[in-house]
Amino acid sequence: MNVPLLDLKAQHAGIRDEVMRAAEAVIEGQAFILGQPVLDLEKEVAALSKAKHGIGCASGTDGLLLPFKALDLKPGDEIITTPFTFFATAGAIHNAGGRPVFVDVLPDTWNIDPAAVEAAIGPKTRAICPVHLFGQMADMEAIMAAARTKGIPVIEDACQAIGARRKVGGQWRVAGELGAATSFSFFPSKNLGGWGDGGMIVANDDAMAERVRRLRTHGGFKMYHHDEVGINSRLDALQAAVLLAKLPHLSRWSEGRRKNAAFYAEALAGVDGVRTPVTDPLNEHIFHQYVIHAEQRDGLQAHLKDKGIGSAVYYPLPLHLQNCFGYLGYRKGSMPVSEAAAGHVLALPCYPELSDAQKEYVAATIRAFYGR
Ligand SMILES: Cc1ncc(COP(=O)(O)O)c(C=O)c1O
């Protein structure tokens, strides 16, 4: 049996007519940059995130870069984030002129440790950027509280977490609702993925939203008039039309991922050597990735590959140890929880179209590897 890590062809087969119709309308109209589909998607994603503003952009990376640029960082200004994330989080801080300050993650969820965030806040801290890793929100209430006392903004990296929720003070809060600005990625493999790169910033701060919108189009609202130097980071109308067609399916897809996660949790319970993902009881996870902690991880991955099962390591090298961040002065051992996680994490197929037979095969193949 063959079980890829992700099967976008299976997703497309289920929605082909509606998504092709939406794409064709854009092609017939021949208006490809921004335009009505982007405005409509901005409204929908802002509503989904209970945020005031939505601003489409070219990628989730730019969805971080633009709000960071809006902070007008000066040399030495710091943004606190996690080293256990995709490179873009810290790359965007660097490219906006900031200095990433890494703090370690929690050993269960691998989300940023809020106590470590609070301890790292100093006179040069200009923002905090929690990442809602693999589709589960970070401890936003603690992070927001720490930020509030120091008067600094929180910029959420929700690239993997569109629609994820967390109970804060007994109330559901969705990714993007609490931060000053939030980035979503529409990279094709995301729970809501386009037909290429795409991203969206949602913002609750009016000034931030206006600034980001302007920076997105070379720093000016009026054609050929530029108030500041921005970048070109527009969302294509074609991407927006595809995403609008997919959006009504998003909550069902995320529910399907949760069901698959529940299946694996049961099927792998008691397997010595495997810890299935820990969901903070306050969170509703969207399982963008289903990541286990595995002893003999590399052996397991090779075994799965042999048996036709896709898997991936997110992430093999934490960001504080990347060559390009050598100038920050971190060493091996600086972030022990992230470093330990990097040696044990393994993402398994969890996409909503997985059949029962495929899931059972994955679980049985893992059990067999550990002699169960
Ligand atoms: C946590 C995180 N941040 C940022 C990004 C960047 O998004 P994009 O690939 O759309 O630029 C990603 C995408 O993989 C991500 O997973």
Side-chain angles (χ1 to χ4, degrees):
M1 190 181 291
N2 191 31
V3 191
L5 182 61
L6 179 65
D7 186 354
L8 285 176
K9 285 184 185 167
Q11 184 196 73
H12 184 62
I15 56 167
R16 181 180 282 110
D17 288 350
E18 50 206 292
V19 80
M20 292 301 275
R21 246 194 328 273
E24 231 174 85
V26 175
I27 292 165
E28 288 302 324
Q30 291 287 301
F32 293 113
I33 303 295
L34 296 173
Q36 199 57 48
V38 174
L39 290 171
D40 291 346
L41 185 71
E42 287 175 343
K43 235 168 104 181
E44 295 273 354
V45 173
L48 171 77
S49 323
K50 298 192 187 150
K52 269 175 93 174
H53 307 276
I55 302 125
C57 62
S59 66
T61 303
D62 283 358
L64 294 166
L65 177 67
L66 289 162
F68 293 153
K69 273 184 163 297
L71 297 175
D72 295 316
L73 301 171
K74 289 183 236 18
D77 281 355
E78 298 173 349
I79 297 182
I80 298 171
T81 194
T82 158
F84 199 58
T85 175
F86 179 58
F87 179 76
T89 317
I93 294 171
H94 174 97
N95 283 335
R99 187 180 172 88
V101 169
F102 295 116
V103 302
D104 213 348
V105 295
L106 297 166
D108 49 2
T109 62
W110 300 308
N111 264 326
I112 197 166
D113 179 346
V117 169
E118 191 165 4
I121 297 176
K124 295 198 161 175
T125 307
R126 297 292 314 283
I128 301 166
C129 181
V131 176
H132 304 319
L133 192 71
F134 303 143
Q136 140 158 257
M137 284 177 71
D139 183 346
M140 282 297 285
E141 57 275 31
I143 293 163
M144 292 299 297
R148 212 174 295 120
T149 57
K150 307 284 180 176
I152 48 180
V154 172
I155 296 180
E156 297 175 59
D157 181 340
C159 283
Q160 303 182 357
I162 189 164
R165 302 195 295 173
R166 180 172 176 85
K167 255 197 180 141
V168 176
Q171 295 235 355
W172 282 115
R173 301 293 199 158
V174 68
E177 184 177 351
L178 298 173
T182 296
S183 175
F184 295 115
S185 166
F186 301 131
F187 185 79
S189 65
K190 295 295 195 275
N191 287 32
L192 180 65
W195 285 357
D197 276 312
M200 173 92 51
I201 297 139
V202 298
N204 292 302
D205 182 290
D206 294 342
M208 168 68 86
E210 162 112 355
R211 194 70 198 288
V212 161
R213 202 175 276 283
R214 191 168 76 185
L215 283 165
R216 172 185 75 168
T217 49
H218 285 305
F221 285 127
K222 194 172 153 197
M223 211 122 153
Y224 308 121
H225 293 75
H226 304 272
D227 304 307
E228 62 179 324
V229 178
I231 60 173
N232 170 14
S233 185
R234 300 170 298 218
L235 181 64
D236 291 343
L238 192 61
Q239 298 305 340
V242 166
L243 292 161
L244 277 168
K246 286 190 174 191
L247 188 56
H249 302 282
L250 175 63
S251 62
R252 180 172 56 82
W253 287 336
S254 293
E255 185 55 38
R257 287 168 178 272
R258 275 192 291 278
K259 283 200 178 120
N260 292 342
F263 171 87
Y264 283 137
E266 209 178 308
L268 298 174
V271 176
D272 263 356
V274 171
R275 191 190 80 200
T276 54
V278 177
T279 302
D280 182 325
L282 293 174
N283 275 336
E284 186 178 71
H285 206 314
I286 65 158
F287 288 101
H288 167 56
Q289 299 294 351
Y290 182 86
V291 179
I292 60 169
H293 180 282
E295 300 303 331
Q296 306 167 60
R297 189 267 319 275
D298 296 343
L300 173 62
Q301 186 172 30
H303 175 73
L304 291 174
K305 190 172 175 211
D306 260 10
K307 302 287 177 189
I309 298 169
S311 66
V313 174
Y314 305 122
Y315 298 95
L317 185 66
L319 301 189
H320 67 287
L321 299 178
Q322 298 288 341
N323 284 340
C324 65
F325 289 134
Y327 73 94
L328 295 172
Y330 296 101
R331 292 280 172 273
K332 217 164 179 191
S334 303
M335 307 278 149
V337 182
S338 298
E339 290 165 35
H344 291 92
V345 282
L346 193 65
L348 302 179
C350 191
Y351 57 91
E353 296 82 8
L354 273 179
S355 69
D356 289 349
Q358 284 176 311
K359 278 181 277 188
E360 275 156 21
Y361 177 62
V362 173
T365 307
I366 294 172
R367 283 198 304 264
F369 177 77
Y370 291 104
R372 291 294 296 252

